[in-house]
Amino acid sequence: MIERALAWMAAFARRRYRLVFVVAAVLVVLCVLSATTLRFDTEILNLLPDDDPVVTTFRSTIEDFGSLDFLLVLVRLPEGQPLDPYLFFVDELGSSMEALEEIDYVEYDVGEFLELADLFAPHMFAYLDEQGREEVASRLTEDGLRLQVAELRRNLRSPQALALRDLTLLDPLDIHEVLLEQIALARGGLDVDWTSGYFLSEDRSRALMIARPAQPAQEIEFGRRLLAEVDRLTADLLARWPEIAGEEPDGEPLPAPEVALGGTYVTAVSDAGTIVGGLVSNMATSLVGVLLLFALAFRRVGLIAYAFLPLAFGLVLAFGFAGTVLGELNALTSGFAALLVGLGIDFVIVSYGRYVEERRRGAGLSAALVAMSGSSGRAVWTGAITTAATFYAFMVTDFVGLRQMGLLTGTGILFCMVSVLVLLPAMLAWREDHPRPGGRMPRLVLHGLGARRLVRWSFERPVLVICACVVVTAGTGILAPRLEFEDAIRELRPQGNPGIEVEEEVTAYFGSGQRYTMIVLSGETEEEALELSIRAEEGAQQLVDSGTLTGIRGIGSLVPSPASQAAARDWLDRHRELLDRDRLHELFERHATEEGLRTEPFRRGIDLLADAGASREPVTVATLRDSSQIGRMLERYMGRNEGDTKLVVYLYPPPGMWRRSAPPGALELAERLGPQAQVTGVNVVGERLRNGIRVDAVTASIVGFVLVAVLLFLDYRWVVSTLLSLLPLCIGVVWMLGIMVLIGEDMNFFNVFVVTMIIGIGVDYGVHMVHRWREVGFGPEALEGERLVAALGETGKAIVLAAVSTSVGFGSLALSHYPGLRSMGIVAILGAVATALVSITLLPALVALGRRRAAKIA
């Protein structure tokens, strides 16, 4: 029935090829219009399962706290130069960026000391533990005050005195560690020289600015506009640098600072460019490569049109489908065009190869087209259906990106099949009706790259071939279990992304403040959430004490726990005399006079200390919200949603540790806190991704294999034919895995699903051989008259060319900037070559053995 329908399609295309061309042209116009609406999504989260609790928690955390999307502006300062001009440059750039409508706010300094002192200083003892408070007490004894004033005099005569002027006036007794520690905690764990008043690295070679843009990083056009505006501001400010810096005493200008942009916005824009560029280059490289191969195989450059137009039409239909159904491409689906070129050319080669064979045997156009689309077309139909089925097997996975790739590539394969079965006969019919001047028909040949000789050799030496296959399969089977899985997502991204490089530089100079795990806490009321956060911070502190973490950051750095505040009040009640205002002024003035210091500039600092000793007011969120600076600090820990109150505690691991999973003890801590506490972060999502994708890879492979087996059995209605078609696939996969170990190519999140692809790609070669064997027949006359081996040799030529063309098509992926896509290309080439080699050697050998056995029985 299928053969009759395919033969009818060929006959229709022969008679009505003009109508076929018109319909194809209309579809091209419609699909091109649809494809122009495609956008490119670089957000990795959008590739992950929609309803997975780990992913949804991470998504909601980002929405509530906005913890990941930042624009990092790194200012590199020349070594050995005065800081003032460069800090002025940072001030100017920061204020200019804050004026942009694309940016909500920019953090680059510690704010106004007086404002922070007014808020923190009255409660400073609540931020200290018992040991810290006793240390303060020792400094406030008469002897301690004498030593502190002497130290103050030495500090005022040091080269850093000017930079520390404001801090010294506020805190003449050097108790400012409390104030600076709270600022450091609230700023997210950055290792900075807080005494400078800026986000300055401890070696003073880098200044950091952290901007919070108004839209998320996955809005690529917004990101491009944002980066362009920041680049413009930077260029304008650098043009004014001679005016800002002035001249050195020797008349030479100060060297200008270097400004580098990084973070998620730069990464997303760069990745989007890579995706678009990779999509175009992959498709172009694949098309050019397979078309040149097609011309080489058939020895006529003019025949390129027979391959190009059906392939191009199938690709246009696939892009139109993508624009209509999906609306976007991502890092995974961006490579589907190269996949379709590599897979679709197989249909062209097998079909046109059969047409050439029939014409060389003397068949007319109509008979050749019927043989091409009827007999050989049956194999193309079966191969396309089985290949599409393996890609549709991705639809059972939870991962959105893989489902999209499976849907798009599987449907694209069907489009390419229809294009070849309809458009190619129409083109051949048109060519027949429009011969060359002079009436000469072109010479039709098919170069098989030695495939026919290899098929005959295997047919004549079946025992040797089978033994060789057993040895190779055993060797690669021993190696295959040694294959390792590379689960670092970062290793699969393009190298040289400036956003990632600058982020790594920030981490090197400012510590691990950009990498953390989060414990998200929910409460029906603010008080309930605060209590949970305090318990979480206390539990996390134990992980710090054990060395599992280097630090924690939570709202407790701004709002001490009620127990801590109560302990501070009790301590203050016991030390009233020590913090008496008159006593502090009297002792300070006496010792300052002895050291030759004026006391008036320091009176406000002493008053702040006395106010802290007299204050018994509790520290609450409400008391801190009045300040815009502290309000911004609170935003880091308090969620933005209008429902339950959400708070977050940040857990900072040692450098290079716990990047792929939650820190030990974090999940247990969340379990102790109850269902209102959840652990999330990039590392937690990555761990879920690794575990889930392995399960889904196995599931998709099993589903794909079962679908292929069922479809083949329905096509053949014979178990032996089904098993023979699947045998090259099974052996080829083992060879592929073993060779991957030999060349050092690990499995990863991308190429793990190539195994499922190879089920569709590799089974085609067995299908073509078995279909030709069944078509020719298996009687004694087939072997004696050389008809069978000749037929298998002709099909073997098409299979070899199809495998080589598939390898050329996937070769463009092997040259991709994306390591993940590159690994997909390499593994797909190995699988295609291995399954094709088994198909044209082992299958003829088995057929020959079966034929000999049948002859003996007869």
Side-chain angles (χ1 to χ4, degrees):
M1 178 178 176
I2 294 177
E3 289 187 18
R4 289 197 299 271
L6 295 175
W8 179 87
M9 289 173 58
F12 178 84
R14 167 69 182 96
R15 297 190 309 270
R16 307 293 300 273
Y17 57 78
R18 292 183 180 84
L19 177 61
V20 171
F21 294 152
V22 170
V23 172
V26 172
L27 289 175
V28 166
V29 172
L30 294 176
C31 289
V32 168
L33 292 176
S34 176
T36 57
T37 65
L38 279 171
R39 64 186 185 91
F40 300 93
D41 184 6
T42 65
E43 179 54 61
I44 297 296
L45 284 179
N46 292 340
L47 304 180
L48 305 183
D50 287 324
D51 54 356
D52 186 277
V54 173
V55 177
T56 54
T57 297
F58 188 63
R59 288 181 188 274
S60 64
T61 301
I62 292 175
E63 293 172 359
D64 292 336
F65 299 97
S67 302
L68 297 182
D69 284 348
F70 287 100
L71 175 65
L72 303 177
V73 182
L74 185 65
V75 183
R76 303 185 182 105
L77 312 181
E79 185 178 355
Q81 302 298 333
L83 281 176
D84 287 348
Y86 299 98
L87 297 182
F88 180 82
F89 178 92
V90 171
D91 267 326
E92 289 289 297
L93 183 57
S95 59
S96 299
M97 288 173 57
E98 284 190 321
L100 294 175
E101 63 179 10
E102 290 85 1
I103 293 179
D104 287 341
Y105 64 82
V106 183
E107 294 182 297
Y108 57 93
D109 61 9
V110 299
E112 294 294 333
F113 273 115
L114 292 179
E115 182 181 354
L116 292 173
D118 287 339
L119 286 164
F120 280 115
H123 312 286
M124 67 171 64
F125 290 101
Y127 294 107
L128 288 174
D129 56 17
E130 187 67 25
Q131 181 179 352
R133 287 189 285 267
E134 291 301 325
E135 171 63 23
V136 172
S138 68
R139 296 186 184 191
L140 298 183
T141 63
E142 184 166 354
D143 290 339
L145 277 167
R146 181 184 300 108
L147 293 175
Q148 290 302 125
V149 173
E151 182 67 21
L152 173 62
R153 181 178 61 83
R154 286 192 294 271
N155 289 339
L156 291 174
R157 294 178 179 179
S158 69
Q160 294 83 19
L162 183 60
L164 300 176
R165 176 179 178 276
D166 289 341
L167 183 60
T168 302
L169 293 177
L170 287 174
D171 184 22
L173 299 182
D174 202 25
I175 309 176
H176 65 274
E177 289 91 347
V178 175
L179 187 63
L180 292 181
E181 178 68 12
Q182 300 319 301
I183 297 171
L185 291 173
R187 294 294 184 176
L190 294 174
D191 295 333
V192 300
D193 179 4
W194 296 107
T195 60
S196 68
Y198 293 83
F199 290 7
L200 193 66
S201 62
E202 293 180 342
D203 66 354
R204 299 198 166 196
S205 67
R206 301 290 190 278
L208 178 64
M209 310 171 73
I210 304 175
R212 171 67 63 81
Q215 296 185 32
Q218 55 263 37
E219 297 293 335
I220 301 302
E221 290 305 318
F222 170 81
R224 290 194 178 104
R225 188 169 69 250
L226 167 70
L227 298 182
E229 286 296 307
V230 175
D231 285 339
R232 178 184 61 80
L233 293 177
T234 302
D236 292 345
L237 198 56
L238 287 174
R240 292 174 45 209
W241 176 250
E243 172 190 343
I244 295 172
E247 293 184 351
E248 294 189 277
D250 58 5
E252 293 294 328
L254 290 174
E258 297 179 8
V259 178
L261 304 182
T264 50
Y265 291 86
V266 180
T267 300
V269 170
S270 178
D271 277 358
T274 302
I275 289 176
V276 175
L279 176 64
V280 174
S281 64
N282 288 343
M283 185 171 61
T285 304
S286 297
L287 272 175
V288 171
V290 298
L291 292 178
L292 289 177
L293 178 66
F294 190 83
L296 174 65
F298 292 97
R299 305 294 180 86
R300 286 179 57 210
V301 176
L303 293 180
I304 286 179
Y306 292 146
F308 173 77
L309 291 179
L311 273 182
F313 182 53
L315 284 174
V316 170
L317 292 177
F319 273 104
F321 175 81
T324 302
V325 176
L326 298 180
E328 63 185 20
L329 296 178
N330 53 54
L332 281 176
T333 54
S334 65
F336 90 99
L339 295 177
L340 292 183
V341 171
L343 296 169
I345 193 65
D346 291 5
F347 306 149
V348 177
I349 289 176
V350 171
S351 298
Y352 189 72
R354 183 60 183 273
Y355 172 79
V356 170
E357 180 184 350
E358 294 298 323
R359 294 304 298 267
R360 291 181 65 189
R361 290 171 56 185
L365 174 66
S366 297
L369 291 180
V370 168
M372 179 186 79
S373 295
S375 301
S376 182
R378 173 77 176 270
V380 170
W381 166 272
T382 303
I385 295 298
T386 54
T387 303
T390 59
F391 280 96
Y392 285 141
F394 289 161
M395 302 293 289
V396 304
T397 72
D398 292 329
F399 291 84
V400 177
L402 291 170
R403 290 206 304 267
Q404 290 179 350
M405 186 184 73
L407 175 64
L408 186 54
T409 308
T411 305
I413 289 169
L414 298 181
F415 284 143
C416 288
M417 175 197 68
V418 172
S419 177
V420 170
L421 293 177
V422 176
L423 194 58
L424 182 59
M427 293 172 61
L428 292 171
W430 178 86
R431 187 65 185 134
E432 185 81 7
D433 291 347
H434 298 79
R436 292 179 177 180
R440 282 195 325 124
M441 292 299 295
R443 180 169 174 262
L444 300 175
V445 295
L446 173 59
H447 194 292
L449 303 178
R452 185 166 54 184
R453 288 192 296 271
L454 184 58
V455 169
R456 177 176 291 278
W457 189 88
S458 301
F459 198 91
E460 294 171 351
R461 300 167 178 81
V463 175
L464 177 61
V465 170
I466 292 172
C467 290
C469 283
V470 169
V471 171
V472 175
T473 304
T476 51
I478 293 172
L479 291 174
R482 304 179 187 177
L483 191 64
E484 296 184 355
F485 193 94
E486 173 57 66
D487 57 7
I489 300 177
R490 198 178 190 87
E491 298 299 323
L492 304 181
R493 305 197 72 154
Q495 300 298 314
N497 188 304
I500 295 177
E501 290 179 347
V502 170
E503 186 178 340
E504 290 175 345
E505 185 176 353
V506 168
T507 300
Y509 280 90
F510 294 90
S512 60
Q514 302 299 314
R515 298 195 176 278
Y516 42 75
T517 302
M518 296 172 280
I519 299 180
V520 181
L521 307 139
S522 302
E524 294 183 1
T525 64
E526 190 173 279
E527 291 73 18
E528 181 183 356
L530 282 169
E531 181 183 353
L532 277 173
S533 181
I534 291 167
R535 290 172 54 198
E537 292 177 53
E538 291 173 350
Q541 185 59 46
Q542 297 177 10
L543 300 179
V544 175
D545 297 338
S546 67
T548 303
L549 302 174
T550 57
I552 61 171
R553 305 291 183 258
I555 199 169
S557 62
L558 296 174
V559 184
S561 68
S564 177
Q565 295 192 52
R569 288 193 294 269
D570 291 342
W571 186 89
L572 289 173
D573 289 338
R574 297 195 307 270
H575 295 80
R576 287 179 183 275
E577 294 183 3
L578 195 66
L579 292 162
D580 180 75
R581 188 182 307 271
D582 294 337
R583 174 183 176 274
L584 290 175
H585 278 294
E586 178 187 350
L587 289 177
F588 180 81
E589 290 176 3
R590 183 200 311 167
H591 296 308
T593 302
E594 292 173 358
E595 294 291 340
L597 299 175
R598 294 174 55 240
T599 60
E600 290 80 5
F602 303 103
R603 292 191 65 85
R604 173 161 174 73
I606 299 299
D607 283 335
L608 285 174
L609 181 59
D611 291 341
S615 175
R616 300 296 186 272
E617 290 293 325
V619 183
T620 65
V621 173
T623 61
L624 298 177
R625 276 192 175 131
D626 294 336
S627 166
S628 60
Q629 289 191 67
I630 307 302
R632 190 175 296 173
M633 294 179 188
L634 287 171
E635 285 182 5
R636 184 168 178 82
Y637 305 110
M638 303 192 73
R640 302 174 178 177
N641 63 341
E642 297 179 357
D644 295 345
T645 299
K646 284 190 176 182
L647 299 177
V648 64
V649 176
Y650 299 92
L651 311 180
Y652 293 91
M657 298 291 288
W658 322 125
R659 288 189 173 186
R660 302 183 183 184
S661 62
L667 294 175
E668 291 79 0
L669 173 59
E671 288 179 2
R672 292 197 301 270
L673 294 172
Q676 293 167 295
Q678 295 176 305
V679 177
T680 189
V682 174
N683 49 357
V684 178
V685 174
E687 184 176 26
R688 166 66 184 90
L689 178 62
R690 289 193 302 276
N691 296 334
I693 215 165
R694 287 169 177 165
V695 173
D696 282 4
V698 174
T699 303
S701 297
I702 293 174
V703 170
F705 187 84
V706 171
L707 281 175
V708 168
V710 170
L711 290 170
L712 289 178
F713 180 76
L714 292 176
D715 181 51
Y716 295 134
R717 305 287 180 175
W718 192 25
V719 174
V720 173
S721 296
T722 302
L723 294 178
L724 284 176
S725 295
L726 293 174
L727 185 61
L729 166 65
C730 298
I731 294 177
V733 168
V734 175
W735 289 14
M736 176 190 74
L737 297 177
I739 295 172
M740 287 177 63
V741 175
L742 286 176
I743 66 175
E745 184 69 35
D746 295 334
M747 277 290 183
N748 56 52
F749 294 126
F750 280 67
N751 65 29
V752 69
F753 287 91
V754 171
V755 176
T756 307
M757 296 182 196
I758 292 300
I759 293 174
I761 296 171
V763 77
D764 287 0
Y765 305 143
V767 166
H768 292 310
M769 291 295 284
V770 172
H771 261 283
R772 195 61 188 276
W773 165 53
R774 288 164 58 90
E775 178 188 342
V776 173
F778 199 52
E781 71 280 2
L783 180 60
E784 293 172 1
E786 292 281 320
R787 184 184 172 200
L788 179 59
V789 68
L792 293 179
E794 290 297 322
T795 301
K797 292 196 300 184
I799 289 174
V800 167
L801 288 175
V804 174
S805 65
T806 298
S807 299
V808 172
F810 279 103
S812 65
L813 290 182
L815 301 175
S816 172
H817 293 292
Y818 263 90
L821 291 178
R822 187 163 60 243
S823 68
M824 285 178 64
I826 293 172
V827 175
I829 290 172
L830 293 176
V833 172
T835 51
L837 185 59
V838 176
S839 296
I840 65 172
T841 56
L842 182 60
L843 286 186
L846 292 174
V847 168
L849 270 186
R851 180 66 196 94
R852 291 180 183 180
R853 182 178 179 182
K856 288 180 180 180
I857 294 175

